[in-house]
Amino acid sequence: MLVGPPGAGKGTQAEFIAAHLAVPKISTGDIFRANVAQGTPLGIQAKQFMDAGQLVPDEVTINMVRDRLAEPDAGDGFLLDGFPRTTPQAQALDKLLADLGTGLDLVLELVVDDDEVIRRLSGRRTCRGCGKIWHVEFDAPNREGVCDRCGGELFQRDDDKAETIAERLRVYARDTAPLVDYYGAQGKLVGIDATGPVEDVTNRAIDALRSYGG
Ligand SMILES: [Zn+2]
């Protein structure tokens, strides 16, 4: 399982690590979309909450995770990306995995400090034309504010504005950071430095898995 603040690169690292381990990457975003698209009973329930602008209750989420873990491709292992997000979810997941006769082997914490998160996220600019995401510092277009690919105008999404990032970091510190202690107490936590080039972070993650025996 991966844990880390917004902007730590969890989604990107999850792709590489899951490919390295040859196991499926399981994220609640993907599971929600699949259940809603297929019109499953859980998807219909989840959509009612989302349409009302409410959080999907943990019980619905954990049942979707249960169904996903029962699919054949997860039989030899899986990588959880972005779930659990709170201690009650982690407790429910532990119970679910115990019921299935399994458990988490390792929790990788992608460690990035708040200043770096703010630098990464607040520099993002999205093209109104093609949706490509640029970065004012790390991946700047040739002309400021204009997409190299399609000539579209670049803008800053609300999610990438400083005040929104600060709020997301507060929510992470309050709700999700306690998982570091939760899994640390189980002896399952390994922290890796998630700064620097993407491939360096992937290599650190793979080294951590290897020293565990994965
Ligand atoms: Zn564009």
Side-chain angles (χ1 to χ4, degrees):
M1 171 201 151
L2 291 184
V3 64
K10 285 190 300 297
T12 305
Q13 293 303 331
E15 296 284 349
F16 289 121
I17 297 165
H20 174 81
L21 294 173
V23 297
K25 168 183 94 84
I26 297 179
S27 78
T28 42
D30 293 343
I31 297 179
F32 282 166
R33 277 187 290 278
N35 275 274
V36 170
Q38 292 160 19
T40 67
L42 288 170
I44 292 166
Q45 277 185 49
K47 188 168 186 304
Q48 285 167 348
F49 289 102
M50 290 189 280
D51 287 350
Q54 292 168 2
L55 288 175
V56 177
D58 283 354
E59 194 191 331
V60 175
T61 306
I62 199 84
N63 282 327
M64 286 189 193
V65 171
R66 178 192 298 268
D67 287 353
R68 179 65 187 86
L69 293 177
E71 288 177 30
D73 67 338
D76 289 334
F78 51 85
L79 179 71
L80 287 174
D81 162 28
F83 180 86
R85 261 174 215 250
T86 64
T87 305
Q89 287 180 355
Q91 289 163 338
L93 177 68
D94 275 350
K95 184 171 181 309
L96 162 63
L97 293 174
D99 288 349
L100 297 172
T102 184
L104 291 177
D105 293 320
L106 196 68
V107 176
L108 279 182
E109 181 194 7
L110 301 185
V111 179
V112 185
D113 68 29
D114 285 3
D115 287 346
E116 175 69 11
V117 166
I118 291 163
R119 190 163 151 239
R120 286 182 186 188
L121 294 182
S122 67
R124 287 157 54 109
R125 297 292 181 274
T126 305
C127 175
R128 286 191 199 281
C130 68
K132 179 174 163 61
I133 296 169
W134 298 88
H135 194 284
V136 294
E137 196 177 339
F138 308 124
D139 186 18
N142 289 324
R143 263 181 64 205
E144 194 187 325
V146 180
C147 178
D148 285 353
R149 190 157 83 182
C150 77
E153 180 197 358
L154 305 186
F155 75 106
Q156 188 177 36
R157 291 176 30 203
D158 285 342
D159 257 8
D160 299 331
K161 290 186 173 155
E163 56 274 25
T164 314
I165 299 165
E167 175 57 19
R168 290 168 71 194
L169 284 169
R170 272 194 295 277
V171 170
Y172 179 81
R174 184 190 67 200
D175 294 345
T176 309
L179 294 183
V180 169
D181 292 333
Y182 179 84
Y183 289 112
Q186 295 185 4
K188 292 180 177 172
L189 188 87
V190 177
I192 59 164
D193 175 9
T195 56
V198 169
E199 55 271 31
D200 290 358
V201 179
T202 306
N203 287 335
R204 284 179 210 127
I206 289 170
D207 284 347
L209 290 164
R210 195 170 286 138
S211 59
Y212 157 78

